[in-house]
Amino acid sequence: MDAKKRSTDKAAQEMIEYMSQAGQENAWDRLDKQEPQCGFGKLGICCRICTMGPCRIDPFGDGPQLGVCGADADTIVARNFLRAVAAGTSAHSDHCRTVAELFLAAARGDAPDYYIKDTEKLHRVAKEFGIATDGRADNEIAVELGEIALGEFGKSEGTQLMARRAPEPRKEIWKKKNVTPRAIDREVVEALHRSTMGVDQDYKSLLMHASRTALADGWGGSMLATDLQDILFGTPSPGKGEVNLGVLESDEVNIIVHGHDPLMSEIIVEAASAPEMIANAKAVGAKGINVAGICCTANELLVRHGVPVAGNFLCQELAIATGAVEMMAVDVQCVMQGLAKVATYYHTKLFTTAPQAKIPGVEHVPLEEENALKIAKKLVSAAIDNYKNRGNINIPSEKEAGIMGFTNESIKYMLGGKFRASYRPLNDNIMNGKIRGIAAIVGCSNPKVPMDSTHTELAKELIKKDVLVLTTGCATIACGKQALLNPKDALELAGPGLREVCEVVGIPPILACGSCVDNSRLLVAASEIVAEGGLGEDLSALPLAGACLESITEKAIAIGQYFVASGVYVIFAKELFPYLGSENVKNYLLDEVEKDFGGRWALESDPVRAAEMMLEHIESKRDSLGINEAKERKLYSMEDRQALGV
Ligand code: XCC
Ligand code: SF4
């Protein structure tokens, strides 16, 4: 076991060593035990959709080329891809539905511990949805907005309201291809239906529906989740935060919130700051209560409240192994069942809090809308009571500070000021070439890749080449751990053009934009950059590229596909893309899809090479826009002027 091969982050290396010496297993050890992993699964050519199977296609061509039903590799791989997109869309969207339900309950006064924090955004989104706002109470507007939002999941007619935010030519493309997303539930149900035995057996047709389903995520569930959360919990604005296991305190009650859905964790943060809770903590000998986050719940709390982040996905087990965590409350997604085992070695009390997510042996305390604060206080009290049970602790010292919490709103504000908030300065600096383009770095951590290495190397390569980087999810936390969200440190690594612009407008070169549902913020920002003018008419014209070199979940496939169907070039790590067992599917996703949507997938695992590919793409878009030509003053003749009609 070589901890350095498992992670590039020192704190994690230390904890990996520590767990190994203590004989405690984590994700890396379990991965070792799984090796060699199934070659059919890696290529996406196994099918167990019906009981005539499970079937698998021989990738070398000697053995069977068809499943019992006659399905070929194209169909099987395309179905697997579509099902991944559907599952990813479900994850983001079911999270959104929970938020929408609570939003509505809060607006109706049925969830007394929650209230609307950003009324400006409430009015803005309400107007966008055609809701009358003049002379109406905020709560009344919010009830109507909440009802419409919930309708987005199951409405019997019409398409996603958020998709209207896309540039006109983009909407035309979606219309022409018949992929404008309808009700979210419908797209997911149809995806599952199409991919059952004996239904859709044309890989192109299956993949086209993958686009529609993914768009229901990006321009539906995810975007709606982001906006409703902003209205309910406040729209983030850039602020300081700290990242890595060193945020755990040796002399305070440490609470970790982990997962994705901020409903419970928001209230836990509130409960932990209640004077009586702090007094109780002091009564048991602690100096206070420290709440820290892991995964996207962490991102949600960080960008809104500056709550420190203990780590990203692969840090969850390591955090417990510090022995300093009194309580961990988990909600949905990316929560390893392995936590339950690790927690048995320590005093940590683990709770599941989302009705959708339980773990055997772990106490389940579901959030109740009417009693949220009371339940949160119960959890915080359990943490305080548990402080006395602490044994030896081993908290790595590493932590880094950075600026996080950039949104479409705040970027515009920083660029143009309160009264003239606008993307104009950004567009101008892209057009004059000081900034070459924009890159999105998104994704997870995966034990198959040395933790944080690819996200951070890629980010460094890109800013060095004057590309402005926007990041979300565990990739953001990776950047944070390596001080790349610290504006001073990051600016030193930035190319001269990017650096100059960042210094003038006061933004760092890597913008931490929040959780994975907040990838929708990038879609909105890109649409507004198009609307600002000068960089083409559609998202596909922008000098923009995305990358996800460390991923784990089906959600990443859904995100990738909605970016592609929105016209964006997306690079993914080849060995984490299990859909290459069909030449036709591969050709479509890596090439032909560009004719349909202007975006496509590309596969590359090496961050330096991926950065080059993104740059090539960005420069080719700049060429097409005509902003790379050396500008010469054109002397007009009389005929030229007449031709111009001036
Ligand atoms: Fe999960 Fe969102 Fe991936 Fe991190 S980045 S491992 S999905 S927590 Ni979303
Ligand atoms: Fe096999 Fe076809 Fe059934 Fe899949 S759907 S398990 S390929 S028979």
Short mmCIF file of all heavy atoms in Angstrom, two decimals, residues 314-372:
data_model
loop_
_atom_site.label_atom_id
_atom_site.label_comp_id
_atom_site.label_asym_id
_atom_site.label_seq_id
_atom_site.Cartn_x
_atom_site.Cartn_y
_atom_site.Cartn_z
N LEU A 314 -13.68 10.96 -1.21
CA LEU A 314 -12.84 9.90 -0.61
C LEU A 314 -12.36 10.24 0.79
O LEU A 314 -11.69 9.43 1.43
CB LEU A 314 -11.65 9.60 -1.52
CG LEU A 314 -11.99 8.75 -2.75
CD1 LEU A 314 -10.78 8.64 -3.67
CD2 LEU A 314 -12.46 7.35 -2.36
N CYS A 315 -12.70 11.41 1.28
CA CYS A 315 -12.29 11.78 2.65
C CYS A 315 -13.29 11.33 3.69
O CYS A 315 -13.05 11.48 4.89
CB CYS A 315 -12.10 13.29 2.76
SG CYS A 315 -10.85 13.92 1.66
N GLN A 316 -14.45 10.80 3.26
CA GLN A 316 -15.50 10.54 4.24
C GLN A 316 -15.09 9.53 5.30
O GLN A 316 -15.32 9.74 6.50
CB GLN A 316 -16.82 10.16 3.58
CG GLN A 316 -16.79 9.01 2.62
CD GLN A 316 -18.13 8.86 1.88
OE1 GLN A 316 -19.11 8.45 2.47
NE2 GLN A 316 -18.16 9.20 0.61
N GLU A 317 -14.45 8.44 4.87
CA GLU A 317 -14.03 7.44 5.86
C GLU A 317 -12.84 7.95 6.66
O GLU A 317 -12.70 7.69 7.86
CB GLU A 317 -13.69 6.13 5.15
CG GLU A 317 -14.93 5.48 4.54
CD GLU A 317 -14.60 4.27 3.67
OE1 GLU A 317 -13.85 4.42 2.69
OE2 GLU A 317 -15.09 3.18 3.99
N LEU A 318 -11.96 8.69 5.98
CA LEU A 318 -10.77 9.22 6.64
C LEU A 318 -11.14 10.18 7.76
O LEU A 318 -10.47 10.23 8.80
CB LEU A 318 -9.89 9.94 5.60
CG LEU A 318 -9.54 9.16 4.33
CD1 LEU A 318 -8.63 9.99 3.43
CD2 LEU A 318 -8.87 7.82 4.67
N ALA A 319 -12.21 10.94 7.53
CA ALA A 319 -12.61 11.92 8.55
C ALA A 319 -12.98 11.22 9.85
O ALA A 319 -12.57 11.64 10.94
CB ALA A 319 -13.79 12.74 8.03
N ILE A 320 -13.71 10.12 9.73
CA ILE A 320 -14.10 9.39 10.95
C ILE A 320 -12.87 8.82 11.65
O ILE A 320 -12.76 8.81 12.87
CB ILE A 320 -15.12 8.29 10.61
CG1 ILE A 320 -16.44 8.93 10.16
CG2 ILE A 320 -15.37 7.38 11.81
CD1 ILE A 320 -17.55 7.97 9.86
N ALA A 321 -11.91 8.38 10.82
CA ALA A 321 -10.70 7.77 11.38
C ALA A 321 -9.82 8.76 12.15
O ALA A 321 -8.88 8.36 12.84
CB ALA A 321 -9.89 7.10 10.27
N THR A 322 -10.12 10.05 12.08
CA THR A 322 -9.37 11.00 12.92
C THR A 322 -9.73 10.79 14.38
O THR A 322 -9.01 11.26 15.27
CB THR A 322 -9.71 12.48 12.57
OG1 THR A 322 -11.11 12.69 12.82
CG2 THR A 322 -9.38 12.81 11.12
N GLY A 323 -10.85 10.13 14.63
CA GLY A 323 -11.30 9.92 16.00
C GLY A 323 -11.89 11.18 16.62
O GLY A 323 -12.26 11.19 17.79
N ALA A 324 -11.97 12.23 15.83
CA ALA A 324 -12.39 13.52 16.39
C ALA A 324 -13.79 13.93 15.97
O ALA A 324 -14.22 15.04 16.23
CB ALA A 324 -11.39 14.60 15.97
N VAL A 325 -14.49 13.00 15.30
CA VAL A 325 -15.83 13.37 14.83
C VAL A 325 -16.88 12.78 15.77
O VAL A 325 -17.03 11.57 15.88
CB VAL A 325 -16.05 12.85 13.39
CG1 VAL A 325 -17.46 13.19 12.90
CG2 VAL A 325 -15.01 13.44 12.45
N GLU A 326 -17.58 13.64 16.46
CA GLU A 326 -18.58 13.17 17.42
C GLU A 326 -19.83 12.66 16.70
O GLU A 326 -20.48 11.73 17.15
CB GLU A 326 -18.99 14.32 18.37
CG GLU A 326 -18.11 14.45 19.60
CD GLU A 326 -16.65 14.73 19.29
OE1 GLU A 326 -16.38 15.68 18.54
OE2 GLU A 326 -15.79 13.97 19.78
N MET A 327 -20.14 13.29 15.59
CA MET A 327 -21.38 12.91 14.91
C MET A 327 -21.26 13.21 13.43
O MET A 327 -20.68 14.23 13.04
CB MET A 327 -22.54 13.70 15.53
CG MET A 327 -23.94 13.28 15.12
SD MET A 327 -24.55 14.08 13.64
CE MET A 327 -25.11 15.65 14.30
N MET A 328 -21.77 12.30 12.61
CA MET A 328 -21.85 12.57 11.18
C MET A 328 -23.30 12.35 10.75
O MET A 328 -23.87 11.30 11.01
CB MET A 328 -20.92 11.65 10.39
CG MET A 328 -20.89 11.99 8.90
SD MET A 328 -19.92 10.81 7.89
CE MET A 328 -18.28 11.48 8.01
N ALA A 329 -23.88 13.37 10.13
CA ALA A 329 -25.25 13.25 9.63
C ALA A 329 -25.19 13.22 8.12
O ALA A 329 -24.64 14.13 7.49
CB ALA A 329 -26.09 14.44 10.10
N VAL A 330 -25.72 12.16 7.53
CA VAL A 330 -25.67 12.03 6.08
C VAL A 330 -27.06 12.12 5.48
O VAL A 330 -28.03 11.73 6.10
CB VAL A 330 -25.00 10.69 5.66
CG1 VAL A 330 -23.60 10.59 6.23
CG2 VAL A 330 -25.83 9.49 6.10
N ASP A 331 -27.15 12.68 4.29
CA ASP A 331 -28.46 12.73 3.63
C ASP A 331 -28.46 11.81 2.41
O ASP A 331 -28.50 10.60 2.58
CB ASP A 331 -28.88 14.19 3.34
CG ASP A 331 -27.84 15.01 2.60
OD1 ASP A 331 -27.80 14.94 1.38
OD2 ASP A 331 -27.06 15.74 3.25
N VAL A 332 -28.39 12.37 1.20
CA VAL A 332 -28.46 11.51 0.01
C VAL A 332 -27.22 11.62 -0.85
O VAL A 332 -26.57 12.67 -0.89
CB VAL A 332 -29.69 11.87 -0.88
CG1 VAL A 332 -30.98 11.43 -0.24
CG2 VAL A 332 -29.73 13.35 -1.21
N GLN A 333 -26.90 10.55 -1.56
CA GLN A 333 -25.89 10.49 -2.61
C GLN A 333 -24.44 10.57 -2.13
O GLN A 333 -24.10 11.43 -1.34
CB GLN A 333 -26.11 11.60 -3.65
CG GLN A 333 -27.48 11.55 -4.31
CD GLN A 333 -27.78 12.81 -5.09
OE1 GLN A 333 -26.89 13.48 -5.58
NE2 GLN A 333 -29.06 13.12 -5.23
N CYS A 334 -23.64 9.66 -2.69
CA CYS A 334 -22.20 9.63 -2.45
C CYS A 334 -21.84 9.32 -1.00
O CYS A 334 -20.73 9.62 -0.54
CB CYS A 334 -21.53 10.94 -2.90
SG CYS A 334 -21.79 11.26 -4.64
N VAL A 335 -22.77 8.73 -0.28
CA VAL A 335 -22.52 8.32 1.10
C VAL A 335 -22.13 6.84 1.04
O VAL A 335 -22.93 6.00 0.63
CB VAL A 335 -23.78 8.50 1.95
CG1 VAL A 335 -23.56 7.94 3.36
CG2 VAL A 335 -24.18 9.98 1.99
N MET A 336 -20.92 6.50 1.45
CA MET A 336 -20.48 5.11 1.35
C MET A 336 -21.06 4.28 2.49
O MET A 336 -20.99 4.70 3.65
CB MET A 336 -18.96 5.04 1.43
CG MET A 336 -18.25 5.57 0.21
SD MET A 336 -16.56 4.96 0.24
CE MET A 336 -15.68 6.37 -0.35
N GLN A 337 -21.54 3.11 2.14
CA GLN A 337 -22.01 2.21 3.19
C GLN A 337 -20.86 1.84 4.13
O GLN A 337 -21.08 1.54 5.31
CB GLN A 337 -22.64 0.94 2.57
CG GLN A 337 -23.32 0.07 3.61
CD GLN A 337 -24.16 -1.04 3.01
OE1 GLN A 337 -24.37 -1.11 1.80
NE2 GLN A 337 -24.66 -1.91 3.87
N GLY A 338 -19.64 1.90 3.60
CA GLY A 338 -18.45 1.63 4.40
C GLY A 338 -18.32 2.51 5.64
O GLY A 338 -17.62 2.14 6.60
N LEU A 339 -18.99 3.65 5.64
CA LEU A 339 -18.94 4.53 6.81
C LEU A 339 -19.38 3.82 8.08
O LEU A 339 -18.82 4.04 9.16
CB LEU A 339 -19.86 5.74 6.60
CG LEU A 339 -19.42 6.84 5.65
CD1 LEU A 339 -20.52 7.89 5.57
CD2 LEU A 339 -18.12 7.46 6.12
N ALA A 340 -20.43 2.99 7.92
CA ALA A 340 -21.01 2.33 9.08
C ALA A 340 -19.96 1.47 9.77
O ALA A 340 -19.85 1.45 11.01
CB ALA A 340 -22.21 1.49 8.65
N LYS A 341 -19.14 0.79 8.96
CA LYS A 341 -18.09 -0.07 9.51
C LYS A 341 -17.01 0.78 10.19
O LYS A 341 -16.61 0.51 11.33
CB LYS A 341 -17.49 -0.89 8.35
CG LYS A 341 -16.38 -1.84 8.70
CD LYS A 341 -16.92 -3.19 9.10
CE LYS A 341 -15.83 -4.17 9.50
NZ LYS A 341 -15.09 -4.67 8.34
N VAL A 342 -16.54 1.81 9.50
CA VAL A 342 -15.48 2.65 10.09
C VAL A 342 -15.95 3.25 11.41
O VAL A 342 -15.19 3.32 12.38
CB VAL A 342 -15.05 3.78 9.12
CG1 VAL A 342 -13.92 4.60 9.71
CG2 VAL A 342 -14.60 3.20 7.79
N ALA A 343 -17.22 3.65 11.43
CA ALA A 343 -17.74 4.29 12.65
C ALA A 343 -17.70 3.33 13.84
O ALA A 343 -17.59 3.78 14.99
CB ALA A 343 -19.15 4.80 12.41
N THR A 344 -17.76 2.01 13.58
CA THR A 344 -17.73 1.08 14.71
C THR A 344 -16.36 1.07 15.41
O THR A 344 -16.26 0.66 16.56
CB THR A 344 -18.05 -0.37 14.27
OG1 THR A 344 -17.06 -0.80 13.33
CG2 THR A 344 -19.43 -0.48 13.64
N TYR A 345 -15.31 1.51 14.72
CA TYR A 345 -13.99 1.54 15.34
C TYR A 345 -13.80 2.77 16.23
O TYR A 345 -12.82 2.86 16.96
CB TYR A 345 -12.88 1.58 14.27
CG TYR A 345 -12.90 0.44 13.28
CD1 TYR A 345 -12.82 0.68 11.92
CD2 TYR A 345 -12.99 -0.88 13.71
CE1 TYR A 345 -12.82 -0.35 11.00
CE2 TYR A 345 -13.00 -1.92 12.79
CZ TYR A 345 -12.91 -1.64 11.44
OH TYR A 345 -12.91 -2.66 10.54
N TYR A 346 -14.68 3.72 16.07
CA TYR A 346 -14.53 4.99 16.79
C TYR A 346 -15.81 5.30 17.55
O TYR A 346 -16.77 4.55 17.49
CB TYR A 346 -14.18 6.12 15.80
CG TYR A 346 -12.87 5.85 15.09
CD1 TYR A 346 -12.84 5.15 13.88
CD2 TYR A 346 -11.65 6.23 15.65
CE1 TYR A 346 -11.65 4.86 13.25
CE2 TYR A 346 -10.45 5.95 15.02
CZ TYR A 346 -10.44 5.27 13.82
OH TYR A 346 -9.26 4.98 13.20
N HIS A 347 -15.80 6.46 18.20
CA HIS A 347 -17.00 6.81 18.98
C HIS A 347 -18.06 7.50 18.12
O HIS A 347 -19.16 7.76 18.57
CB HIS A 347 -16.61 7.71 20.15
CG HIS A 347 -16.23 9.11 19.73
ND1 HIS A 347 -15.31 9.36 18.74
CD2 HIS A 347 -16.66 10.31 20.15
CE1 HIS A 347 -15.19 10.67 18.59
NE2 HIS A 347 -16.01 11.26 19.42
N THR A 348 -17.71 7.80 16.87
CA THR A 348 -18.58 8.60 16.00
C THR A 348 -20.01 8.05 15.92
O THR A 348 -20.20 6.86 15.65
CB THR A 348 -18.00 8.66 14.58
OG1 THR A 348 -16.65 9.09 14.67
CG2 THR A 348 -18.79 9.60 13.69
N LYS A 349 -20.98 8.93 16.15
CA LYS A 349 -22.39 8.54 15.96
C LYS A 349 -22.79 8.93 14.55
O LYS A 349 -22.62 10.08 14.14
CB LYS A 349 -23.29 9.26 16.98
CG LYS A 349 -23.24 8.61 18.34
CD LYS A 349 -24.58 8.69 19.06
CE LYS A 349 -25.64 7.89 18.39
NZ LYS A 349 -26.38 6.93 19.04
N LEU A 350 -23.31 7.95 13.85
CA LEU A 350 -23.69 8.19 12.46
C LEU A 350 -25.22 8.22 12.38
O LEU A 350 -25.89 7.40 13.01
CB LEU A 350 -23.12 7.03 11.64
CG LEU A 350 -23.08 7.10 10.13
CD1 LEU A 350 -22.28 8.30 9.65
CD2 LEU A 350 -22.44 5.81 9.58
N PHE A 351 -25.77 9.19 11.65
CA PHE A 351 -27.22 9.26 11.46
C PHE A 351 -27.54 9.41 9.98
O PHE A 351 -26.87 10.18 9.28
CB PHE A 351 -27.80 10.49 12.17
CG PHE A 351 -27.74 10.44 13.66
CD1 PHE A 351 -26.76 11.14 14.35
CD2 PHE A 351 -28.67 9.70 14.39
CE1 PHE A 351 -26.70 11.11 15.74
CE2 PHE A 351 -28.63 9.67 15.78
CZ PHE A 351 -27.63 10.37 16.45
N THR A 352 -28.56 8.71 9.52
CA THR A 352 -29.10 8.99 8.20
C THR A 352 -30.31 9.91 8.40
O THR A 352 -31.07 9.74 9.36
CB THR A 352 -29.54 7.71 7.47
OG1 THR A 352 -30.39 6.95 8.34
CG2 THR A 352 -28.34 6.86 7.09
N THR A 353 -30.46 10.90 7.52
CA THR A 353 -31.50 11.90 7.77
C THR A 353 -32.49 12.08 6.61
O THR A 353 -33.42 12.86 6.73
CB THR A 353 -30.86 13.28 8.03
OG1 THR A 353 -30.17 13.71 6.85
CG2 THR A 353 -29.90 13.23 9.20
N ALA A 354 -32.25 11.41 5.49
CA ALA A 354 -33.15 11.60 4.35
C ALA A 354 -34.07 10.38 4.25
O ALA A 354 -33.61 9.25 4.41
CB ALA A 354 -32.35 11.74 3.06
N PRO A 355 -35.36 10.62 4.00
CA PRO A 355 -36.28 9.48 3.92
C PRO A 355 -35.89 8.46 2.85
O PRO A 355 -36.18 7.29 2.98
CB PRO A 355 -37.63 10.13 3.59
CG PRO A 355 -37.35 11.55 3.28
CD PRO A 355 -36.02 11.90 3.83
N GLN A 356 -35.15 8.91 1.82
CA GLN A 356 -34.78 7.99 0.74
C GLN A 356 -33.56 7.14 1.09
O GLN A 356 -33.21 6.25 0.31
CB GLN A 356 -34.42 8.75 -0.54
CG GLN A 356 -35.48 9.66 -1.10
CD GLN A 356 -35.25 11.10 -0.68
OE1 GLN A 356 -34.83 11.36 0.45
NE2 GLN A 356 -35.56 12.04 -1.56
N ALA A 357 -32.87 7.44 2.16
CA ALA A 357 -31.55 6.81 2.33
C ALA A 357 -31.32 6.30 3.75
O ALA A 357 -31.16 7.08 4.68
CB ALA A 357 -30.46 7.85 1.98
N LYS A 358 -31.33 4.98 3.88
CA LYS A 358 -31.04 4.35 5.17
C LYS A 358 -29.85 3.41 5.02
O LYS A 358 -29.55 2.95 3.92
CB LYS A 358 -32.24 3.54 5.65
CG LYS A 358 -33.47 4.38 5.94
CD LYS A 358 -34.58 3.52 6.51
CE LYS A 358 -35.83 4.35 6.71
NZ LYS A 358 -36.94 3.53 7.22
N ILE A 359 -29.19 3.11 6.12
CA ILE A 359 -28.08 2.15 6.12
C ILE A 359 -28.29 1.22 7.32
O ILE A 359 -28.53 1.71 8.43
CB ILE A 359 -26.71 2.88 6.27
CG1 ILE A 359 -26.48 3.85 5.09
CG2 ILE A 359 -25.57 1.87 6.37
CD1 ILE A 359 -25.22 4.70 5.22
N PRO A 360 -28.23 -0.10 7.10
CA PRO A 360 -28.43 -1.01 8.23
C PRO A 360 -27.44 -0.71 9.37
O PRO A 360 -26.26 -0.44 9.11
CB PRO A 360 -28.14 -2.40 7.63
CG PRO A 360 -28.35 -2.23 6.18
CD PRO A 360 -27.98 -0.82 5.85
N GLY A 361 -27.94 -0.73 10.57
CA GLY A 361 -27.08 -0.49 11.73
C GLY A 361 -26.87 0.99 12.03
O GLY A 361 -26.21 1.34 13.00
N VAL A 362 -27.42 1.86 11.19
CA VAL A 362 -27.25 3.30 11.40
C VAL A 362 -28.59 3.90 11.78
O VAL A 362 -29.62 3.61 11.15
CB VAL A 362 -26.70 3.98 10.11
CG1 VAL A 362 -26.66 5.49 10.28
CG2 VAL A 362 -25.33 3.43 9.76
N GLU A 363 -28.57 4.70 12.83
CA GLU A 363 -29.83 5.27 13.31
C GLU A 363 -30.40 6.25 12.28
O GLU A 363 -29.68 7.10 11.75
CB GLU A 363 -29.59 5.98 14.66
CG GLU A 363 -30.88 6.25 15.39
CD GLU A 363 -30.66 6.85 16.78
OE1 GLU A 363 -29.59 6.58 17.41
OE2 GLU A 363 -31.54 7.60 17.22
N HIS A 364 -31.69 6.12 12.03
CA HIS A 364 -32.35 6.95 11.03
C HIS A 364 -33.19 8.02 11.73
O HIS A 364 -34.11 7.71 12.47
CB HIS A 364 -33.24 6.05 10.16
CG HIS A 364 -33.87 6.77 9.00
ND1 HIS A 364 -33.13 7.34 7.99
CD2 HIS A 364 -35.17 7.01 8.69
CE1 HIS A 364 -33.95 7.90 7.11
NE2 HIS A 364 -35.19 7.71 7.52
N VAL A 365 -32.84 9.26 11.50
CA VAL A 365 -33.61 10.37 12.09
C VAL A 365 -34.05 11.28 10.95
O VAL A 365 -33.33 12.20 10.56
CB VAL A 365 -32.75 11.16 13.10
CG1 VAL A 365 -33.57 12.29 13.73
CG2 VAL A 365 -32.20 10.24 14.18
N PRO A 366 -35.21 11.00 10.36
CA PRO A 366 -35.60 11.77 9.18
C PRO A 366 -36.01 13.19 9.53
O PRO A 366 -36.52 13.46 10.61
CB PRO A 366 -36.77 10.98 8.62
CG PRO A 366 -37.34 10.23 9.77
CD PRO A 366 -36.20 9.99 10.73
N LEU A 367 -35.74 14.06 8.57
CA LEU A 367 -36.13 15.46 8.70
C LEU A 367 -37.65 15.55 8.67
O LEU A 367 -38.30 14.96 7.82
CB LEU A 367 -35.55 16.23 7.52
CG LEU A 367 -35.92 17.70 7.41
CD1 LEU A 367 -35.14 18.51 8.42
CD2 LEU A 367 -35.63 18.22 6.01
N GLU A 368 -38.22 16.28 9.63
CA GLU A 368 -39.66 16.56 9.57
C GLU A 368 -39.81 18.07 9.39
O GLU A 368 -39.27 18.84 10.18
CB GLU A 368 -40.36 16.13 10.87
CG GLU A 368 -40.44 14.63 11.05
CD GLU A 368 -40.81 14.25 12.50
OE1 GLU A 368 -41.35 15.12 13.23
OE2 GLU A 368 -40.53 13.10 12.87
N GLU A 369 -40.53 18.44 8.35
CA GLU A 369 -40.67 19.87 8.02
C GLU A 369 -41.13 20.69 9.21
O GLU A 369 -40.62 21.76 9.48
CB GLU A 369 -41.70 20.06 6.90
CG GLU A 369 -41.26 19.47 5.60
CD GLU A 369 -42.33 19.46 4.54
OE1 GLU A 369 -43.52 19.69 4.85
OE2 GLU A 369 -41.95 19.22 3.38
N GLU A 370 -42.15 20.15 9.93
CA GLU A 370 -42.74 20.96 10.99
C GLU A 370 -41.84 21.07 12.22
O GLU A 370 -42.01 21.95 13.05
CB GLU A 370 -44.12 20.51 11.44
CG GLU A 370 -44.93 19.30 11.00
CD GLU A 370 -44.31 18.13 10.34
OE1 GLU A 370 -43.86 18.16 9.18
OE2 GLU A 370 -44.31 17.10 11.03
N ASN A 371 -40.89 20.15 12.33
CA ASN A 371 -40.07 20.10 13.55
C ASN A 371 -38.58 20.14 13.25
O ASN A 371 -37.78 19.59 14.01
CB ASN A 371 -40.30 18.77 14.26
CG ASN A 371 -41.62 18.78 14.99
OD1 ASN A 371 -41.95 19.76 15.63
ND2 ASN A 371 -42.37 17.70 14.86
N ALA A 372 -38.20 20.77 12.18
CA ALA A 372 -36.82 20.64 11.71
C ALA A 372 -35.78 21.03 12.77
O ALA A 372 -34.85 20.28 13.04
CB ALA A 372 -36.63 21.46 10.45
#
